[in-house]
């Protein structure tokens, strides 16, 4: 097992099988949905603008009504002033001019308010600049006469007023002022109609745009949802194809391994027969050293035969025989099988005393340990510190736990989550099945295997096996 697997400290492997996360997004679909959301947002803006236009239209109407009210009050005050002057000139009764100052002051105040109201309109400001002096000049002339009449009510004042009124009959100043005030009122009314017409056009345009958006936004949203569902369907089909290819690769691997095991069985058997002949020759010749080497070769051939047989059983799902094994013996045999540690690497083993025997297939567990140690050694190849620590103890109730710690670069979170998946390897020619097979072996024994970050750097691979047989 360790001989057919590559070191599995993982990086991104372009040849590895990757899980396909079914995504419901694509550029066009997301853009379409985004456009739908944008249209709804634009609809809200149009509604806000339309409401603002209506509020502005109402404000314009109020402004015009206020302006017309001020103009009408000024004109009414002028008529009252003239009527009071005529009544006083005819009757010489001072009661007709007793409230004259109040009317004059109110007229001047109305003119000031009118100036403030039309200050935003240059045309009306010019018109008022021509009209206002005439009104004030008229009010001032009458105010002088009214003041004299109040202070000294006599025939001379009355005659002066009659003469003034006679000149008004000839010159028609009030008629001219009334005409100018009517013109001022007409301009204000015209401005209101123009503003209302502009507001009506804006309202119609905004209403049409809002209506189009109300129709377009759901349409784009529906198109976007259809496209997302279609993309999801395509991605699902792609995932199914990849799963099919994955299954085919597993079947092909099983067939290849089974064939390989079958083909290797025959030359190994022949080699073992030839070795038996050599052992007999060495026994007869008394070559003790050569005989010892031949015995070791025979042991390794028997081990190779056992590995091949268990590989076939593993692939064909045959039940393997498990026996009680000493954890210390398993560790010693695995270290001996590794056989590649030199002076650059340090291996420290820590075994808890009085560990119970565990029911395992000795060869399979040895191969798990060898595979993990070989991966650790190759992971530390570029590290300045090359230290391995293998500890065995009772970390969990009813379980014997093996923990292998290295001083390599460690694992990233994403790699750690996929490290026991098949067909992922850091080598271009690696099959990427070593750790997945280790996981399956441990699970078949009723245990579990995991990986975690080591404090201070590196990684810890651990597995736990039950003390009681399944």
């Amino acid at each position: 097992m360790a001989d057919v697997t590559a070191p599995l400290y993982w990086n991104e492997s372009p040849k590895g099988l990757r899980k396909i996360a079914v995504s419901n997004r694509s550029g066009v679909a997301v853009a379409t949905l985004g456009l739908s959301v944008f249209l709804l947002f634009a609809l809200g803006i149009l509604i806000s603008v339309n409401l603002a236009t209506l509020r502005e239209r109402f404000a314009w109407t109020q402004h015009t009504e206020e302006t017309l009210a001020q103009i009408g009050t000024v004109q009414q005050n002028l008529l009252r002033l003239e009527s009071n002057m005529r009544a006083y000139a005819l009757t010489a009764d001072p009661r007709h001019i007793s409230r004259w100052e109040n009317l004059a002051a109110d007229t001047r105040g109305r003119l000031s308010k009118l100036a403030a109201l039309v200050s935003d309109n240059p045309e009306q400001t010019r018109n008022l600049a021509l009209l206002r002096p005439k009104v004030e000049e008229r009010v001032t002339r009458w105010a002088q006469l009214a003041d004299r009449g109040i202070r000294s009510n006599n025939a001379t004042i009355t005659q002066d007023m009659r003469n003034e009124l006679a000149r008004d009959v000839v010159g028609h100043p009030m008629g001219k002022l009334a005409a100018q005030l009517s013109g001022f009122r007409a301009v204000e009314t015209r401005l209101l109609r123009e503003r209302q017409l502009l507001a009506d056009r804006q309202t119609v345009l905004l209403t049409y745009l809002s209506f189009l958006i109300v129709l377009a936004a759901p349409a784009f949203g529906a198109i976007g949802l259809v496209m997302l569902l279609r993309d999801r369907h395509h991605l699902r089909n792609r995932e199914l194809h990849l799963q099919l290819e994955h299954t085919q690769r597993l079947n092909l691997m099983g067939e290849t391994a089974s064939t390989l095991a079958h083909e290797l069985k025959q030359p190994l058997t022949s080699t073992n027969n030839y070795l038996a002949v050599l052992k007999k020759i060495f026994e007869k010749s008394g070559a003790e050293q050569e005989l010892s080497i031949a015995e070791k070769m025979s042991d390794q051939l028997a081990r190779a035969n056992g590995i091949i047989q268990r590989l076939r059983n593993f692939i064909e799902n045959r039940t393997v025989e498990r026996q009680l094994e000493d954890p210390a013996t398993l560790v010693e045999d695995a270290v001996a099988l590794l056989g590649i540690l030199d002076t650059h690497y340090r291996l420290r083993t820590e075994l808890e005393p009085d560990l119970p025997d565990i029911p395992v297939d000795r060869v399979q567990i040895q191969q798990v340990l060898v595979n993990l140690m070989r991966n650790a050694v190759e992971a530390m190849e570029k590290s300045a510190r090359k230290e391995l620590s293998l500890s065995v103890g009772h970390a969990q109730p009813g379980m014997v736990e093996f923990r292998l710690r290295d001083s390599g670069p460690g694992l990233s979170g994403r790699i750690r989550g996929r490290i026991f998946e098949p067909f992922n390897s850091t080598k271009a020619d690696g099959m990427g099945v070593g750790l997945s097979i280790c996981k399956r072996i441990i699970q078949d024994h009723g245990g579990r295997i995991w990986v975690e970050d080591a404090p201070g750097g590196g990684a810890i691979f651990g597995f736990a096996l039950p003390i009681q047989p399944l």
Side-chain angles (χ1 to χ4, degrees):
M1 190 183 314
D3 298 324
V4 298
T5 57
L8 294 176
Y9 271 77
W10 292 30
N11 293 321
E12 288 289 343
S13 175
K15 295 184 179 181
L17 179 64
R18 298 173 181 174
K19 289 183 177 179
I20 304 299
V22 178
S23 173
N24 58 354
R25 293 184 178 180
S26 69
V28 178
V30 172
T32 305
L33 285 177
L35 179 59
S36 176
V37 174
F38 174 77
L39 289 176
L40 292 176
F41 181 73
L43 177 62
I45 294 177
L46 290 178
I47 293 175
S48 299
V49 173
N50 204 354
L51 291 176
T53 302
L54 293 176
R55 286 193 296 267
E56 186 177 4
R57 182 176 181 179
F58 180 71
W60 286 341
T61 302
Q62 285 186 319
H63 176 276
T64 302
E65 290 178 352
E66 180 67 17
T67 302
L68 295 177
Q70 297 299 329
I71 295 173
T73 303
V74 169
Q75 189 170 8
Q76 185 179 9
N77 286 345
L78 290 175
L79 292 175
R80 285 182 179 179
L81 290 172
E82 185 179 18
S83 298
N84 290 338
M85 291 298 294
R86 291 181 183 276
Y88 178 70
L90 294 175
T91 64
D93 187 353
R95 288 180 300 176
H96 292 294
I97 58 175
S98 60
R99 298 180 60 249
W100 212 93
E101 290 184 1
N102 294 335
L103 290 174
D106 182 69
T107 302
R108 293 188 179 95
R110 300 284 181 177
L111 290 174
S112 298
K113 290 182 180 179
L114 195 58
L117 288 171
V118 300
S119 60
D120 60 338
N121 191 316
E123 180 182 2
Q124 289 292 73
T125 301
R126 289 192 299 270
N127 292 336
L128 184 60
L130 296 175
L131 178 62
R132 187 172 183 178
K134 297 178 180 179
V135 174
E136 291 185 347
E137 187 271 337
R138 185 70 174 169
V139 172
T140 301
R141 285 177 57 196
W142 285 347
Q144 294 174 353
L145 295 175
D147 184 62
R148 288 168 56 193
I150 293 173
R151 285 188 285 107
S152 56
N153 185 18
N154 53 42
T156 303
I157 300 302
T158 305
Q159 187 59 43
D160 292 339
M161 287 187 178
R162 291 173 181 169
N163 295 335
E164 183 69 26
L165 293 172
R167 284 193 295 271
D168 290 346
V169 172
V170 177
H172 300 289
M174 284 300 297
K176 295 177 181 179
L177 286 176
Q180 288 181 319
L181 289 171
S182 298
F184 194 90
R185 186 185 296 107
V187 171
E188 195 66 28
T189 304
R190 175 177 57 81
L191 291 175
L192 177 61
R193 286 198 300 269
E194 291 176 355
R195 289 169 178 171
Q196 288 179 336
L197 180 60
L198 178 61
D200 289 340
R201 291 176 179 174
Q202 290 179 348
T203 301
V204 171
L205 177 62
L206 293 175
T207 302
Y208 277 119
L209 289 176
S210 300
F211 181 73
L212 291 176
I213 290 175
V214 167
L215 294 178
F220 280 112
I223 293 172
L225 289 176
V226 170
M227 295 177 69
L228 286 177
L229 292 176
R230 184 191 63 184
D231 293 340
R232 183 180 177 86
H233 177 70
H234 289 169
L235 289 174
R236 177 60 180 168
N237 288 340
R238 181 185 177 190
E239 182 185 14
L240 293 176
H241 283 301
L242 289 175
Q243 290 177 352
L244 177 62
E245 292 176 3
H246 172 62
T247 303
Q248 291 174 345
R249 290 180 67 186
L250 285 176
N251 294 335
L252 179 61
M253 184 194 71
E255 294 176 3
T256 302
S258 179
T259 303
L260 183 64
H262 175 73
E263 295 298 330
L264 289 177
K265 186 74 174 178
Q266 295 179 358
L268 284 176
T269 302
S270 300
T271 303
N272 195 39
N273 293 334
Y274 288 132
L275 188 58
V277 174
L278 280 176
K279 288 168 62 178
K280 291 181 180 180
I281 295 174
F282 291 147
E283 288 177 358
K284 292 180 180 180
S285 63
E288 296 295 334
Q289 184 176 1
E290 287 81 357
L291 181 60
S292 176
I293 295 175
E295 291 288 348
K296 292 181 180 179
M297 292 175 62
S298 180
D299 291 341
Q300 295 302 318
L301 282 174
R303 186 183 300 277
N305 276 320
I307 292 174
I308 292 175
Q309 185 60 41
R310 284 166 176 79
L311 180 61
R312 293 185 64 181
N313 292 339
F314 182 78
I315 294 171
E316 296 172 5
N317 293 322
R318 293 178 181 174
T319 303
V320 295
E321 296 181 1
R322 299 190 177 98
Q323 298 179 354
L324 292 176
E325 300 287 348
D326 183 8
T329 303
L330 294 175
V331 171
E332 291 174 2
D333 291 345
V335 173
L337 285 172
L338 184 63
I340 60 171
L341 292 177
D342 55 23
T343 57
H344 296 91
Y345 295 86
R346 294 182 56 191
L347 174 62
R348 184 176 72 255
T349 58
E350 299 177 3
L351 282 82
E352 186 177 315
D354 301 324
L355 287 173
D357 294 345
I358 52 177
V360 296
D361 184 284
R362 178 174 55 86
V363 175
Q364 287 188 349
I365 300 304
Q366 286 175 352
Q367 295 305 311
V368 170
L369 288 170
V370 169
N371 191 70
L372 294 179
M373 287 190 289
R374 183 166 296 172
N375 289 340
V377 168
E378 296 193 15
M380 296 186 298
E381 186 175 0
K382 297 182 180 180
S383 299
R385 186 166 57 93
K386 298 178 173 60
E387 295 181 1
L388 277 174
S389 174
L390 178 58
S391 62
V392 185
H394 277 300
Q396 306 176 41
M399 308 284 282
V400 174
E401 186 176 283
F402 296 75
R403 292 172 65 88
L404 179 67
R405 173 175 176 173
D406 62 58
S407 58
L411 302 168
S412 66
R414 183 173 58 179
I415 293 176
R416 190 186 308 114
R418 302 170 47 206
I419 197 166
F420 294 106
E421 295 178 6
F423 302 114
N424 285 275
S425 175
T426 58
K427 285 189 174 182
D429 56 347
M431 294 180 63
V433 295
L435 285 179
S436 65
I437 293 178
C438 290
K439 180 180 179 181
R440 181 173 175 182
I441 289 174
I442 298 301
Q443 290 178 343
D444 287 345
H445 281 75
R448 68 183 190 91
I449 188 170
W450 68 90
V451 62
E452 62 190 48
D453 291 332
I460 298 176
F461 280 83
F463 64 89
L465 297 172
I467 297 174
Q468 298 295 330
L470 295 177

